[in-house]
Amino acid sequence: MQEKEIKFLEESFKKYYFDHFDLIHVPERTSEREFGFQKFNSGMTRHISLKNDKELHLLLMQNTPSDVYCSNAYYSFPNLAMNEKDWKEADLIFDIDAKDLHLDCRQNHSVSKCNDCNQVSSLKDHCSKCNSTKIETKSLPCKNCMDGSKKEVIKLSNILIDDLDVEKNNIHVYFSGNEGFHVYVYNSQFQELGSRERSELVDYILFRGAIPETFGMKKLKPNRSSFPDFEEKGWRGRFSKEVFASKSKRSKIISELISNGYSNFQKKLEDLSSIIGSQIDPNVTMDIHRIFRLPGSLNSKSGLSKVFCKDLPKFDPYSESSFLTENTIEITANCPIEFKLKNKKFGPYDNENTAVPTYAAVYMICKNLAIIS
Amino acid sequence: MITLGKDEIAKYPFLADAGQYLKDKGFTLQQFGIDPDLKISLEKAFNRVQVSADGKIYKSDLIDGEASKDYVLEREVFSFLLAIVLLKLTGMTTLIKRFALAEARRAEKYLEKDLANITDESKKELAIRIIDDLFSIQIKKQDDYFIIPISNYLKHSINFHEREWKLINRRVGKGFVFLTPHETVRLIRKELSNYISSKIINAKTPSMILGFEEPVHQLISLSKKFVTYTVTTGEYPPCIKHAIEILEKGENLPHSGRFMLATFLLSRNQSIEQIAPLFKNAPDYNEKVTLYQLNHLAGTLGSGTQYSCPSCEKLKTQNLCFAIPECDNILNPLQFGKKRK
């Protein structure tokens, strides 16, 4: 990104932070958290400790960050080096990202941008102009992507509530500001778990690592009565609903499963993972020292805010998370994909000059698909 | 502290205060080395250690955890306490580890029986209390199962590598894991054996006792056969090969993959200068950042902690594992190609 674009983004971000102090708050138990931020085209500054909203607002005004983060962990000394912080516990966090769902719509709204010659072309693993393999994929997610991500959040919530005994009001869902959702779980029995234990929870939620025996299938002489049934708790119950579909079909399907054999059953379980498992990013949940995007802050991949979703099914991220101004700005856009923000359609633009509201200009510049004219 | 009956001390002798027990019974260690009537306990103790060194469980004189004569119960406890004395006098950690594991497995049998006891409620209660007191695991009976909070279960189950112990392969509901009595005690085997071995390691080493020399020397020569040698083929495991291929193609290797590759190569004693060029083809390559991060991983910058290569289990979760038969159930990529001789 060039200086002109950085200056424009910094001004737009600063104005947002100045006008919307009401949207940006430090989380509870502030003094036990580690904060961090990034500036445009620059590295990460972390190990910061803050006391209250006032200190956070001052940090935002003084630094004009591109991204702001806060730990899900609680420390005795959040501002010291990692091994001196004295880790106490961490909220359970989940990241669900549309790009990990491999939806069919994705190729319709993704482009490849060459890092060597800046050529924007349809999705490829090398540049159509200079053949370089240094390609970055840029995606402008659509409604289908968001609906797909919401489904994963709902699957996750059900597992959390039914299996892991998390109270519904302790699950907070946020739009990430770009392509998915961030889910926080507070006050659960899992607060003090380390990374290895959390990775077991991850596999559970992803429905990964299941063995046929768990679902009644044995290598030798499988017994029909050990197959799961509809009213069972946890994955056995969910397996029944997905695989047998109805009580009348159960018996016939069990016979099929047995006759198909053990290794086919194993394969079936692996295939089920993407259907009944919730597609969370394993690395985020396993990381107990992560600094995670701060609610209310802007995402530099889009210029949209990370906002709380009160009513997830009705939530429309592209109208409810865009808070930048309507002021018109001239840009040269090379954005071959149409997109919608604040209920207004933009693009496609074929390397052309155009005047658009600041929020749309920021969106394209953040995606690296436009420059200031 | 749990109060134990006579037969319970015989079943769970590691719960007894060794010195106090001998004193209460009116014996000194020295007597066991010279008194012909007491020597049988020393022989039993020797046998108890020897059997455990072979990976077997000591066959006790108890029947279903009980004995018809009091002296049989006493002898059971003596042989355990004397086994510890023998182990301390040999000073061989491998023997202590093997003994602790065998004793844990022995106690496991009794715990399992006590948990499943439906006629004597007090036996079940005691087993539940032992598990709670020693390992802070609160188990509750629910129908045919024992239930344990998921978070508690995970802290113990992550030490197992068999897939049946993964949470996904357990019955889970409303925050609890459902276990049979057998699974409940199996879950704490490692902790139980750690508990026993730490009790032994922390016990005072007595000076040599007359009559103990012979069994001690025999045990020392026995422990020598457990020294192993390993050879390394030097070949990279498939996960590392895959990561290198991705980078060579100029494709994006996720942060977790770069972490794995760098920590693996650092552990294989490659220098930062040797490793850094591997990342040159990455779409977002930046020499300064790469060197900074490698130095951090090696512990030459920052906190000084040298990061180790993640386990196969973790790599599986991160989609970085591409296991082949040659992996042969290793637990960490660094073990790939290492053969015991």
Side-chain angles (χ1 to χ4, degrees):
Chain A
M1 213 176 280
Q2 301 298 310
E3 224 166 275
K4 229 176 9 174
E5 283 75 38
I6 291 178
K7 193 166 167 264
F8 168 67
L9 291 181
E10 279 185 337
E11 278 167 8
S12 311
F13 277 37
K14 191 166 190 168
K15 181 155 176 48
Y16 166 80
Y17 285 123
F18 187 78
D19 292 344
H20 294 281
F21 275 160
D22 54 320
L23 291 177
I24 311 139
H25 301 288
V26 288
E28 278 180 23
R29 294 171 64 180
T30 318
S31 59
E32 293 168 85
R33 311 271 194 166
E34 177 197 355
F35 291 81
F37 66 85
Q38 259 176 311
K39 287 171 73 73
F40 289 98
N41 275 3
S42 162
M44 177 83 81
T45 308
R46 58 186 294 183
H47 311 301
I48 297 169
S49 133
L50 298 173
K51 283 196 198 79
N52 48 36
D53 281 352
K54 220 172 153 186
E55 285 192 2
L56 171 67
H57 297 157
L58 188 66
L59 177 140
L60 296 172
M61 286 300 106
Q62 281 178 338
N63 297 286
T64 331
S66 64
D67 301 273
V68 190
Y69 306 94
C70 172
S71 68
N72 58 320
Y74 304 85
Y75 303 99
S76 302
F77 312 105
N79 56 335
L80 298 187
M82 204 41 98
N83 56 345
E84 292 164 9
K85 280 188 181 354
D86 185 24
W87 187 91
K88 292 198 250 184
E89 57 181 288
D91 300 326
L92 205 51
I93 50 168
F94 301 95
D95 179 18
I96 287 171
D97 204 306
K99 77 170 186 304
D100 299 329
L101 304 182
H102 310 292
L103 298 168
D104 292 337
C105 60
R106 197 151 181 90
Q107 54 184 347
N108 304 334
H109 52 70
S110 298
V111 287
S112 297
K113 170 132 191 181
C114 176
N115 276 350
D116 282 337
C117 74
N118 284 330
Q119 171 76 5
V120 174
S121 51
S122 56
L123 218 47
K124 286 192 184 80
D125 55 7
H126 61 273
C127 174
S128 56
K129 197 173 161 193
C130 74
N131 235 1
S132 164
T133 53
K134 294 196 173 180
I135 292 286
E136 261 188 278
T137 303
K138 298 287 170 191
S139 185
L140 278 57
C142 65
K143 185 169 182 304
N144 189 47
C145 291
M146 283 303 120
D147 288 345
S149 305
K150 283 180 188 176
K151 268 188 202 153
E152 299 305 317
V153 174
I154 291 162
K155 277 196 263 176
L156 171 65
S157 301
N158 289 339
I159 298 169
L160 289 172
I161 294 168
D162 296 337
D163 297 13
L164 307 188
D165 199 32
V166 172
E167 278 178 40
K168 204 175 172 188
N169 57 8
N170 279 328
I171 303 174
H172 290 198
V173 181
Y174 289 83
F175 170 57
S176 74
N178 192 30
E179 297 199 48
F181 294 93
H182 291 171
V183 180
Y184 293 73
V185 171
Y186 300 110
N187 303 320
S188 74
Q189 57 166 302
F190 310 106
Q191 287 287 120
E192 287 172 26
L193 289 189
S195 176
R196 284 172 68 206
E197 289 91 346
R198 284 174 200 237
S199 105
E200 272 298 298
L201 284 180
V202 165
D203 282 345
Y204 187 84
I205 290 161
L206 282 166
F207 193 71
R208 228 158 47 175
I211 53 173
E213 285 81 355
T214 307
F215 298 89
M217 182 69 182
K218 286 192 212 131
K219 264 189 186 141
L220 298 168
K221 291 188 189 161
N223 179 356
R224 296 182 70 86
S225 66
S226 24
F227 279 78
D229 216 334
F230 289 86
E231 60 278 5
E232 282 190 65
K233 295 187 189 90
W235 281 118
R236 281 175 58 94
R238 279 189 283 270
F239 174 95
S240 301
K241 286 175 199 115
E242 177 63 31
V243 176
F244 305 143
S246 74
K247 288 206 167 165
S248 57
K249 286 188 196 153
R250 183 173 178 267
S251 178
K252 190 177 154 244
I253 292 176
I254 291 178
S255 303
E256 272 172 30
L257 290 170
I258 292 176
S259 73
N260 288 344
Y262 186 87
S263 50
N264 278 324
F265 195 103
Q266 179 71 64
K267 173 86 182 31
K268 172 129 199 125
L269 290 178
E270 281 154 27
D271 294 343
L272 275 175
S273 167
S274 60
I275 303 165
I276 58 177
S278 170
Q279 303 309 303
I280 54 169
D281 178 341
N283 295 314
V284 171
T285 307
M286 281 156 69
D287 189 351
I288 57 165
H289 299 106
R290 177 167 287 257
I291 45 174
F292 207 33
R293 192 172 295 288
L294 180 76
S297 69
L298 292 172
N299 189 323
S300 73
K301 289 177 200 150
S302 65
L304 302 174
S305 302
K306 172 166 170 175
V307 290
F308 182 66
C309 307
K310 243 191 206 149
D311 183 357
L312 185 69
K314 284 193 193 142
F315 179 76
D316 173 11
Y318 300 105
S319 66
E320 293 177 47
S321 69
S322 182
F323 290 95
L324 301 184
T325 65
E326 301 276 347
N327 298 347
T328 308
I329 177 102
E330 299 263 340
I331 56 166
T332 308
N334 192 0
C335 177
I337 309 155
E338 185 185 284
F339 64 95
K340 211 170 142 186
L341 280 179
K342 289 195 185 179
N343 293 319
K344 207 173 155 194
K345 276 185 188 164
F346 297 94
Y349 303 106
D350 181 16
N351 226 347
E352 58 196 88
N353 290 341
T354 179
V356 293
T358 297
Y359 61 85
V362 166
Y363 189 65
M364 283 186 274
I365 293 172
C366 285
K367 296 274 173 196
N368 223 344
L369 297 173
I371 50 171
I372 302 285
S373 298
Chain B
M1 190 71 193
I2 307 168
T3 337
L4 299 165
K6 271 185 278 186
D7 58 333
E8 273 132 13
I9 296 191
K11 284 195 289 188
Y12 311 118
F14 48 87
L15 294 174
D17 179 338
Q20 196 57 41
Y21 187 84
L22 284 182
K23 229 187 240 168
D24 289 350
K25 297 289 166 193
F27 294 111
T28 64
L29 274 180
Q30 282 68 23
Q31 282 173 282
F32 289 92
I34 42 176
D35 186 328
D37 288 338
L38 292 175
K39 257 211 144 162
I40 184 168
S41 291
L42 187 62
E43 281 158 21
K44 278 189 174 295
F46 175 78
N47 179 247
R48 217 163 163 153
V49 180
Q50 194 182 32
V51 165
S52 72
D54 285 340
K56 295 190 188 114
I57 305 172
Y58 161 73
K59 214 164 162 271
S60 116
D61 292 336
L62 306 181
I63 301 152
D64 279 346
E66 285 168 32
S68 51
K69 302 252 172 9
D70 271 2
Y71 72 83
V72 178
L73 286 176
E74 272 176 19
R75 220 161 48 199
E76 279 288 306
V77 187
F78 288 152
S79 67
F80 177 82
L81 301 177
L82 294 173
I84 294 181
V85 176
L86 288 176
L87 288 166
K88 291 303 289 186
L89 290 170
T90 60
M92 306 300 283
T93 322
T94 41
L95 285 186
I96 295 177
K97 292 256 155 35
R98 279 165 186 260
F99 176 79
L101 181 62
E103 286 296 322
R105 290 173 63 192
R106 175 181 172 274
E108 215 177 283
K109 282 189 182 169
Y110 295 124
L111 272 176
E112 186 182 332
K113 245 184 214 147
D114 284 349
L115 277 182
N117 198 321
I118 39 172
T119 48
D120 189 348
E121 195 69 15
S122 70
K123 285 208 157 62
K124 192 174 72 200
E125 292 295 311
L126 176 79
I128 290 177
R129 277 209 48 202
I130 290 177
I131 294 172
D132 187 4
D133 274 26
L134 259 47
F135 313 112
S136 311
I137 304 180
Q138 289 88 40
I139 55 168
K140 277 190 279 188
K141 186 92 200 279
Q142 188 176 315
D143 305 324
D144 291 339
Y145 292 96
F146 285 92
I147 59 168
I148 154 170
I150 297 171
S151 51
N152 231 324
Y153 172 82
L154 290 177
K155 281 181 198 156
H156 301 274
S157 71
I158 51 162
N159 298 317
F160 295 107
H161 302 289
E162 297 90 351
R163 304 227 292 174
E164 64 188 85
W165 287 97
K166 284 186 74 64
L167 188 63
I168 180 96
N169 293 315
R170 292 280 128 199
R171 292 201 184 194
V172 173
K174 279 284 154 224
F176 288 95
V177 180
F178 291 67
L179 299 171
T180 63
H182 175 72
E183 290 162 344
T184 309
V185 292
R186 177 69 184 87
L187 187 66
I188 53 160
R189 177 182 293 171
K190 199 166 175 205
E191 278 86 350
L192 191 54
S193 118
N194 285 347
Y195 176 82
I196 297 172
S197 70
S198 73
K199 245 192 139 167
I200 301 173
I201 288 162
N202 294 330
K204 256 199 212 150
T205 308
S207 41
M208 186 51 87
I209 302 157
L210 189 66
F212 280 53
E213 303 92 335
E214 182 55 29
V216 167
H217 287 134
Q218 279 185 32
L219 289 177
I220 291 175
S221 58
L222 179 74
S223 70
K224 284 189 180 138
K225 73 173 184 193
F226 298 120
V227 183
T228 51
Y229 301 94
T230 53
V231 282
T232 311
T233 58
E235 185 159 358
Y236 289 155
C239 48
I240 301 298
K241 278 189 187 162
H242 176 262
I244 294 175
E245 271 168 34
I246 293 270
L247 283 174
E248 275 173 354
K249 278 194 257 174
E251 290 171 13
N252 188 41
L253 182 66
H255 175 74
S256 47
R258 297 177 194 201
F259 181 87
M260 166 192 75
L261 181 60
T263 49
F264 177 89
L265 295 174
L266 285 167
S267 295
R268 283 265 174 110
N269 289 327
Q270 291 211 19
S271 67
I272 288 169
E273 292 69 30
Q274 284 171 305
I275 301 169
L278 273 177
F279 296 96
K280 263 196 174 143
N281 279 335
D284 53 354
Y285 178 72
N286 176 329
E287 192 185 351
K288 234 172 86 184
V289 174
T290 301
L291 287 176
Y292 172 84
Q293 289 177 335
L294 283 173
N295 272 306
H296 257 273
L297 296 181
T300 41
L301 259 184
S303 64
T305 316
Q306 190 182 342
Y307 289 83
S308 47
C309 185
S311 67
C312 297
E313 197 62 36
K314 188 161 184 177
L315 297 175
K316 262 181 217 150
T317 306
Q318 292 172 320
N319 284 333
L320 293 168
C321 169
F322 300 88
I324 52 171
E326 287 76 39
C327 287
D328 199 18
N329 291 325
I330 51 170
L331 305 176
N332 188 293
L334 286 166
Q335 291 166 319
F336 185 82
K338 273 189 189 171
K339 285 242 157 59
R340 285 191 165 201
K341 238 180 168 179

